[in-house]
Amino acid sequence: MNYDYAKIAKEVIQAVGGSENIKSAAHCATRLRLIVADRSLADDEKVGEIDAVKGTFFTAGQYQIIFGTGHVNRVYEQIIQLGIAETTASEAKEAKMDGKNQLQKAIRTFGDVFVPVIPALVATGLFLGLKGALLNDNFLSLLGMTNADIPKTFQVLVDVLSGTTFAFLPAIVCWSTFRVFGGSPVLGLILGLMLVNGSLPNAYSVADPSSGVTPLMLFGFIPIVGYQGSILPAFVAGVIGSKLEKKLRKTVPAVFDFMLTPFLVLFVMLILSLLVIGPLLHALENVLLVIVEYALELPLGIGGLIVGFFWSIITLTGVHHIFNMLEISLLASTGFNPFNAILCMCGFSSAGVCLAISLKARKKEVRAIGPSATASALLGIGEPALFGVILRYGMKPFLLSCSINGIAGMIAMLLGMKGTGNGITTIPGLLLYIYSPSQLAMYVLLALATFTAAFCLCWFFAVPAEVMEADNSQRK
């Protein structure tokens, strides 16, 4: 059917309250997206009667009209020719935040930073899962082999595949934070790379007492280390750095802006990150380490309850890698690692909640991200599920996951579950429990119970309302 797109555009403008009610317009593959001043002025019934319109709905601060592929772009062109402004990135972001409280805005912004990072984290999760299966001593012993029998070249390739993302995670996070907050992404990337520069003591090595690597001490009391695997230092540096850059762009004379602004942003932010942001978070790491060490000694599984409940919150801070020190100390002194069992159950809980949201959701973005994020969580990398799905649309699923983490952690402590290593969790973590049939059986049963409970409770009680908003409207 041939449509008069100019006529359709005029009818759309009239039906949604006139051109004075339309702030700007944009479109995707199938929908015309209008940011309107007053939603109540848009007449859904009149819009539905317009030729080629297949439905309407309002979400993310935008009045969206479904035209379908091949039609929407032609209607949009006519809309723009009639004097309606094109939607800018900042307007779209502002529209998404419209009507949300400060906590919801902060959660959504945090999620927007991490969604672009998810594919890299998912891939790394797959690589780490394969590494845990192929190079684990428990698994190799079944084949009569040890790590010494694995060619060095193969081990190096596996390390490159599984270690690069987390080694340079601050660079990725800082790049994405600058992008979301309106700075120059390339400056964020460079700042993030500075935080993991090889000249700085490696964070993982510092966390390993047997490595002999210690922080650089400035003035005798300020520890300086790299921030491999850390999230919060890079995020905070990205927020402050992007705001500093925007401020400088407005104040530095145009003739010097190209040269002076990048120089000042990188210089000021590196000093601030290494001398203030990083040391403050390092102090937080040490406090958390002492608290967790004390909690694990509490009777009746209370330590597992506390650690399990707060583990996802600790992960949000990005300082969780410090607990490698605790796990290594436990292994050195007893040969076993009860802390690992708690972390494994947290992974299964996150996977269950993530899968429930992604399967029940009507929002296409969640349905697309959710399954791969769930798979990543089941392979030991929980960040895609946590940042991309669970925490992005509200606190309810996050708090549910924390509660299940605590209960599962408590049960793990009461059962006396303990692994024979560290660094791998969830499905690959099975390899740390095959030394004992009873330990392996407890691990499998508790993992299944945790995953099932998380899935069912989230499905019935904690799926965010926002993800249930369909991307297409009810047909008129």
Side-chain angles (χ1 to χ4, degrees):
M1 180 181 296
N2 294 323
Y3 292 108
D4 185 343
Y5 295 106
K7 178 173 178 289
I8 291 174
K10 292 177 182 178
E11 291 176 347
V12 166
I13 293 174
Q14 183 179 4
V16 298
S19 58
E20 63 276 5
N21 192 44
I22 302 176
K23 294 181 178 180
S24 60
H27 75 92
C28 62
T30 59
R31 289 163 282 153
L32 178 68
R33 301 170 181 254
L34 304 176
I35 296 180
V36 295
D38 187 346
R39 163 68 177 93
S40 64
L41 295 180
D43 190 327
D44 295 351
E45 186 173 344
K46 283 187 177 180
V47 174
E49 294 172 352
I50 298 173
D51 285 346
V53 170
K54 298 179 174 62
T56 64
F57 64 102
F58 187 84
T59 186
Q62 298 173 322
Y63 189 78
Q64 304 195 23
I65 306 173
I66 305 169
F67 283 101
T69 305
H71 300 298
V72 66
N73 55 312
R74 292 178 170 85
V75 175
Y76 172 77
E77 289 170 0
Q78 295 298 322
I79 290 280
I80 298 302
Q81 288 182 21
L82 290 172
I84 303 299
E86 297 181 60
T87 301
T88 64
S90 60
E91 286 178 324
K93 179 181 177 181
E94 183 179 345
K96 287 183 179 180
M97 299 297 184
D98 187 38
K100 298 183 183 297
N101 59 41
Q102 291 302 314
L103 177 60
Q104 290 173 321
K105 290 179 180 179
I107 290 172
R108 173 54 66 88
T109 300
F110 208 53
D112 288 343
V113 169
F114 284 93
V115 165
V117 183
I118 287 176
L121 291 173
V122 170
T124 298
L126 294 171
F127 292 137
L128 282 171
L130 291 171
K131 178 182 178 180
L134 297 175
L135 301 182
N136 182 270
D137 286 332
N138 290 346
F139 174 75
L140 291 174
S141 66
L142 298 176
L143 305 176
M145 300 172 62
T146 66
N147 265 291
D149 299 315
I150 305 298
K152 182 67 176 178
T153 302
F154 180 78
Q155 293 191 41
V156 169
L157 290 174
V158 171
D159 285 341
V160 170
L161 286 170
S162 61
T164 300
T165 297
F166 281 99
F168 296 98
L169 186 59
I172 304 172
V173 170
C174 210
W175 160 79
S176 188
T177 305
F178 263 70
R179 179 186 57 82
V180 169
F181 283 85
S184 300
V186 69
L187 291 183
L189 178 63
I190 297 301
L191 176 59
L193 288 171
M194 288 178 173
L195 297 180
V196 294
N197 188 282
S199 299
L200 299 171
N202 185 282
Y204 292 114
S205 299
V206 171
D208 182 355
S210 64
S211 69
V213 178
T214 57
L216 298 174
M217 301 303 294
L218 184 65
F219 306 127
F221 68 94
I222 300 179
I224 297 179
V225 298
Y227 292 94
Q228 289 80 6
S230 293
I231 292 172
L232 196 58
F235 178 76
V236 173
V239 173
I240 298 174
S242 59
K243 292 183 180 296
L244 174 61
E245 182 192 353
K246 289 195 290 184
K247 181 70 174 178
L248 289 172
R249 297 289 184 194
K250 295 178 181 179
T251 56
V252 173
V255 68
F256 299 116
D257 178 65
F258 184 77
M259 174 182 63
L260 193 57
T261 297
F263 172 82
L264 290 174
V265 169
L266 293 176
F267 178 75
V268 172
M269 290 313 305
L270 180 64
I271 299 299
L272 189 62
S273 299
L274 294 181
L275 271 61
V276 180
I277 298 172
L280 286 176
L281 291 175
H282 180 71
L284 174 63
E285 288 178 342
N286 290 332
V287 171
L288 288 174
L289 185 60
V290 171
I291 293 173
V292 170
E293 286 178 326
Y294 174 78
L296 288 176
E297 297 176 358
L298 295 175
L300 304 176
I302 296 175
L305 177 65
I306 295 172
V307 174
F309 181 86
F310 286 102
W311 183 248
S312 291
I313 300 172
I314 292 172
T315 301
L316 286 178
T317 69
V319 302
H320 51 291
H321 66 77
I322 192 67
F323 292 100
N324 287 334
M325 182 185 297
L326 173 62
E327 294 186 83
I328 292 169
S329 299
L330 290 169
L331 289 167
S333 59
T334 67
F336 294 102
N337 179 11
F339 191 74
N340 176 265
I342 302 173
L343 305 191
C344 289
M345 295 309 117
C346 290
F348 285 113
S349 170
S350 294
V353 169
C354 181
L355 185 62
I357 294 173
S358 60
L359 291 183
K360 193 171 183 178
R362 300 177 69 188
K363 188 181 288 291
K364 291 181 179 179
E365 181 183 18
V366 180
R367 296 180 69 88
I369 293 175
S372 60
T374 300
S376 182
L378 290 173
L379 290 169
I381 303 297
E383 284 85 353
L386 181 62
F387 294 119
V389 179
I390 297 174
L391 191 58
R392 193 178 184 201
Y393 297 98
M395 291 297 293
K396 188 183 293 186
F398 177 69
L399 293 176
L400 171 65
S401 179
C402 289
S403 301
I404 295 171
N405 292 347
I407 295 171
M410 183 177 184
I411 295 173
M413 292 291 287
L414 289 172
L415 293 175
M417 293 173 56
K418 47 192 177 183
T420 56
N422 70 306
I424 57 174
T425 56
T426 50
I427 292 176
L430 281 166
L431 299 170
L432 303 182
Y433 297 82
I434 62 175
Y435 69 93
S436 165
S438 61
Q439 286 280 329
L440 183 60
M442 288 188 295
Y443 186 96
V444 172
L445 291 175
L446 184 56
L448 289 173
T450 301
F451 180 86
T452 303
F455 180 89
C456 294
L457 289 174
C458 182
W459 180 277
F460 290 110
F461 304 110
V463 174
E466 186 175 347
V467 306
M468 296 304 296
E469 295 175 359
D471 286 329
N472 49 19
S473 165
Q474 297 82 14
R475 298 297 176 87
K476 297 291 184 180

